[in-house]
Amino acid sequence: MEIISLILIGLSLSMDAFTLSLNYGLLNIPKKRILLVSISVGLFHFIMPLLGMQVGKIISILVHANFKIILILVLTIILIESIRSLNEESEKEYNLTIINIIIFSILVSFDSLSIGIGIKYITENIYLGSLIFTILSFTFTYLGFTLGRILRERASKNSKKISIILLIITIVYFICK
């Protein structure tokens, strides 16, 4: 039962990464960067529950930043940039920088930090939980990028519009979450 609970939690933690990577997959991201982002997200999904278990209570007391609002603002900035570039015809490659990758990974992994605070009530083996979260988040991030890439290739003229629609849906989802 413990493994099933960890898998279900891991699946729910991976949905943010999947949704955002699906949006980014609609851009022309190099395959090496997709793999790097997926590995980074997986790594952060391993580290964050461990951090959450160790310092989560202290962070929640000292830091009153609402990371949901930060994520919504970042997605809104991406949405505005997507709308601005709607009429551009170029198929330029978007080469995410290391800083972009780290920010992406932290944003989609931050909910794992809060899970880390209470994970001891689910399992005594925090490393097993973190490993499950890592595998699932890596897989779903990679799948999101891959599916986005396929959609971009199949609907090349409409891929920016699809990206904008998905970003709007994602922003509304996070606002309502």
Side-chain angles (χ1 to χ4, degrees):
M1 194 62 167
E2 176 181 312
I3 298 285
I4 293 171
S5 296
L6 291 172
I7 290 171
L8 290 174
I9 291 168
L11 286 171
S12 66
L13 291 174
S14 300
M15 289 303 107
D16 295 351
F18 176 77
T19 303
L20 200 52
S21 62
L22 180 65
N23 285 306
Y24 271 99
L26 290 167
L27 303 173
N28 194 11
I29 307 286
K31 288 183 181 182
K32 287 182 181 179
R33 287 293 171 173
I34 291 172
L35 186 59
L36 186 61
V37 172
S38 300
I39 290 169
S40 178
V41 168
L43 182 64
F44 274 92
H45 271 85
F46 186 85
I47 293 169
M48 291 299 222
L50 299 176
L51 280 175
M53 193 168 129
Q54 300 300 318
V55 297
K57 290 180 184 177
I58 296 168
I59 289 174
S60 66
I61 292 169
L62 297 177
V63 178
H64 296 290
N66 188 335
F67 289 95
K68 177 181 168 183
I69 291 173
I70 293 170
L71 177 59
I72 291 169
L73 287 174
V74 169
L75 289 173
T76 303
I77 291 168
I78 295 169
L79 175 64
I80 291 167
E81 184 60 34
S82 296
I83 291 170
R84 277 184 0 149
S85 69
L86 192 57
N87 293 325
E88 292 178 6
E89 292 297 321
S90 68
E91 271 297 313
K92 73 175 186 178
E93 207 169 60
Y94 291 88
N95 199 3
L96 295 172
T97 66
I98 296 300
I99 299 295
N100 295 128
I101 292 170
I102 291 171
I103 291 170
F104 179 98
S105 300
I106 289 171
L107 286 174
V108 299
S109 303
F110 203 79
D111 49 359
S112 296
L113 184 78
S114 59
I115 290 295
I117 295 169
I119 199 163
K120 63 183 176 185
Y121 300 106
I122 299 167
T123 182
E124 293 293 319
N125 192 344
I126 182 80
Y127 296 105
L128 174 64
S130 290
L131 181 63
I132 289 171
F133 301 160
T134 296
I135 292 168
L136 289 172
S137 63
F138 167 84
T139 302
F140 276 91
T141 301
Y142 193 82
L143 285 174
F145 271 109
T146 303
L147 181 57
R149 191 184 234 346
I150 291 168
L151 287 173
R152 181 182 54 79
E153 290 169 359
R154 296 238 168 104
S156 61
K157 291 195 178 206
N158 293 319
S159 65
K160 287 183 181 179
K161 292 176 186 172
I162 293 169
S163 176
I164 289 169
I165 291 168
L166 287 174
L167 278 169
I168 291 170
I169 291 169
T170 304
I171 291 168
V172 170
Y173 167 76
F174 283 117
I175 289 171
C176 295
K177 186 176 173 184

